[in-house]
Amino acid sequence: MNRSKNSVALPGLIPLTADDDGPAHGGDDAAAAAWPDAPRPLLDLSTGINPFGYPLPDLSDAMPCDDAWRRLPQRDAEIRLKQALVRYLDIPADSADTLVLAPGSQILINQVPYLFRPRRVSVLSPTYGEHAPAWRQAGHDVVTVTSLHDFNDFDSILVITNPNNPDGRIVERETLARIAARMRGRNGVLVMDEAFADTLPDIGMAGTVRELPVVVLRSFGKFFGLAGVRLGVLAAAPVAAAHMARRLGPWCVSGPALEIAARAYADAAWIAATRRHLVRAAKNLDTLLKRHGMEVTGGTSLFRYARHDRAAALRERLGARGILVRGFADRPDRLRFGLPADDNSTQRLSHAFKEIMANVDT
């Protein structure tokens, strides 16, 4: 059969827009393919995922007959996870009805815009590149603002990533609460992407969603280092949470993900120790970057953000040596570095820098 490249049209299909392919991301096969001749294994520092991740539990210990794998995700497993989240987020005990579980925070980024009728949306930028396209695709009028001082239209939606990706900018919780309180009186909504907030629990806004017009998105995979589990969490007023749960449908989070996350969120000792360890690891990476001529200008304890006049060339030369870091087309003098997982990775990065910096201007 002769199959045309342009297949049958589907009546009523919403057309894609020019930016619907989204921005490039770290940690994917396309990044590796850019340097096919680089030595393997690749050292992937292009993500902000914790390289010292939570140890995978043996689910069979607590789940006879491998129920988490063989049955549909169970309601009691969702309840256990939400109870662990309430304690982890330090929010009121009766807050389970404000929480929605999803297969990754990226799904929530794409779905939250459809909770609202089209309106003006301001995205505090530069930031994670998926926010603006998601709101545009849902029919909203999207603008970017580079400072909270530039935002004065409280009859709208304001999207903030906190701490910000990629530069680590932080907006304190008190400032956010004041903004949300003003928006409440003017039909506004504050949407918070807290994908990297696990290292800074004092800035989280999940506890405010009953009183203030705030929607919070959280990611499990980054801090716990288990991105493949695909788990995200939305916190919002109960009516908004119910709408999102209906959009996502039943059984949207797998049984194994529910069990793994419930244990991880409840493991207070591991969480505290990991927060301390990440701070030390980030400081060690700063020392390495500065030693080799990089100016560290921001980041979080899961990634570092650095400046160099020849940043684009540095990224190319690191890639040729099998070391992947994040570059930015709109900020060609900046790079983002994830944390090396061990001494061998750190030494490999340092050795590559020594080779590169000797000839960086050539």
Side-chain angles (χ1 to χ4, degrees):
M1 180 184 297
N2 182 21
R3 295 179 181 270
S4 170
K5 186 175 182 179
N6 295 320
S7 59
V8 63
L10 299 180
L13 187 68
I14 297 173
L16 294 175
T17 58
D19 57 4
D20 281 334
D21 287 339
H25 296 287
D28 60 16
D29 294 336
W35 292 280
D37 298 324
R40 264 53 174 177
L42 297 174
L43 173 56
D44 190 356
L45 305 180
S46 66
T47 77
I49 298 168
N50 180 4
F52 319 108
Y54 191 74
L56 283 172
D58 182 357
L59 300 185
S60 62
D61 289 346
M63 302 196 66
C65 303
D66 297 326
D67 281 356
W69 295 101
R70 300 186 185 277
R71 300 179 65 191
L72 287 170
Q74 297 296 296
R75 177 64 177 161
D76 62 342
E78 294 184 12
I79 292 172
R80 286 197 302 273
L81 175 50
K82 287 186 178 182
Q83 290 172 339
L85 272 164
V86 164
R87 293 188 292 270
Y88 175 77
L89 295 172
D90 193 23
I91 58 181
D94 62 351
S95 295
D97 62 343
T98 69
L99 301 177
V100 180
L101 308 175
S105 59
Q106 180 60 53
I107 296 294
L108 294 169
I109 289 172
N110 288 109
Q111 290 298 316
V112 165
Y114 292 96
L115 295 180
F116 303 95
R117 294 185 178 89
R119 60 199 298 190
R120 186 176 182 84
V121 175
S122 298
V123 179
L124 186 59
S125 299
T127 191
Y128 182 54
E130 294 285 356
H131 287 293
W135 289 93
R136 288 193 187 101
Q137 181 61 29
H140 298 270
D141 176 23
V142 179
V143 298
T144 59
V145 294
T146 58
S147 168
L148 289 176
H149 298 295
D150 299 330
F151 176 75
N152 55 19
D153 181 6
F154 290 97
D155 185 19
S156 66
I157 294 170
L158 174 62
V159 181
I160 299 177
T161 302
N162 199 42
N164 193 41
N165 175 17
D167 60 14
R169 177 199 63 227
I170 293 172
V171 183
E172 299 297 335
R173 182 157 55 186
E174 294 74 13
T175 299
L176 295 168
R178 286 196 298 271
I179 292 172
R182 301 206 312 268
M183 296 177 81
R184 178 176 54 191
R186 296 183 59 180
N187 300 314
V189 179
L190 178 61
V191 176
M192 299 299 307
D193 178 353
E194 296 182 356
F196 291 99
D198 297 81
T199 59
L200 298 167
D202 291 341
I203 69 173
M205 292 289 286
T208 71
V209 298
R210 284 195 191 276
E211 294 79 28
L212 296 172
V214 177
V215 176
V216 177
L217 312 181
R218 302 286 297 226
S219 169
F220 172 76
K222 294 179 175 62
F223 174 72
F224 289 94
L226 298 175
V229 168
R230 303 312 302 139
L231 177 69
V233 180
L234 175 140
V239 64
H243 276 283
M244 178 56 72
R246 180 65 63 86
R247 287 195 65 86
L248 294 173
W251 313 303
C252 66
V253 176
S254 73
L258 295 173
E259 295 295 335
I260 291 168
R263 297 186 189 198
Y265 279 123
D267 196 339
W270 184 90
I271 290 165
T274 298
R275 284 172 176 157
R276 293 191 295 269
H277 184 61
L278 288 171
V279 169
R280 293 193 296 270
K283 288 181 178 178
N284 290 339
L285 180 55
D286 283 355
T287 299
L288 186 157
L289 295 174
K290 293 174 183 176
R291 183 189 311 134
H292 294 292
M294 304 292 295
E295 177 189 0
V296 179
T297 61
T300 72
S301 57
L302 285 168
F303 60 82
R304 308 307 291 157
Y305 189 62
R307 194 197 73 81
H308 192 281
D309 290 341
R310 298 295 303 279
L314 287 176
R315 179 175 178 269
E316 289 293 327
R317 296 184 185 190
L318 286 169
R321 289 164 174 78
I323 301 174
L324 308 182
V325 301
R326 281 297 305 278
F328 306 94
D330 58 335
R331 285 152 285 169
D333 63 341
R334 303 300 167 108
L335 295 174
R336 196 189 73 180
F337 293 80
L339 303 180
D342 50 37
D343 288 343
N344 287 338
S345 299
T346 300
Q347 291 170 8
R348 183 175 171 185
L349 177 62
S350 182
H351 180 70
F353 263 124
K354 289 177 182 176
E355 289 185 342
I356 293 167
M357 289 304 185
N359 301 288
V360 70
D361 293 324
T362 62

